[in-house]
Amino acid sequence: MELANFLHDGKLITIPRKQKAKEVLFDALIDKFEFDHDYSEKEVNEILAEVYDDYAILRRYLVDTGRLARDDYGHHYRRIKK
């Protein structure tokens, strides 16, 4: 599955429906984050907003799929090693 099929000028057009395509997207997105670095919610939003206007949904997917960890208050995020 090619991630480029869902991008136009570096921006995500739509979130893929098929799970395999979503996994490719999420793997590409998580590579924008460094290990051993704490990110504020604002920083995460800024990184994801470069890719898609609805950055909140992307943030939620990355947390829900175990790629990003979020503190109990949603203030700090950290990339998880898989």
Side-chain angles (χ1 to χ4, degrees), residues 5-53:
N5 295 341
F6 299 99
L7 300 175
H8 183 265
D9 292 334
K11 292 280 277 192
L12 185 63
I13 301 165
T14 185
I15 296 173
R17 290 184 180 173
K18 294 186 178 184
Q19 189 60 35
K20 188 172 183 176
K22 283 182 183 178
E23 295 297 326
V24 171
L25 170 63
F26 302 152
D27 287 343
L29 290 175
I30 200 60
D31 285 342
K32 295 182 172 292
F33 297 89
E34 297 177 20
F35 290 109
D36 301 321
H37 180 84
D38 285 329
Y39 293 89
S40 68
E41 183 175 17
K42 182 180 178 186
E43 289 173 308
V44 171
N45 292 345
E46 289 171 351
I47 291 167
L48 296 175
E50 292 176 5
V51 177
Y52 194 56
D53 291 335

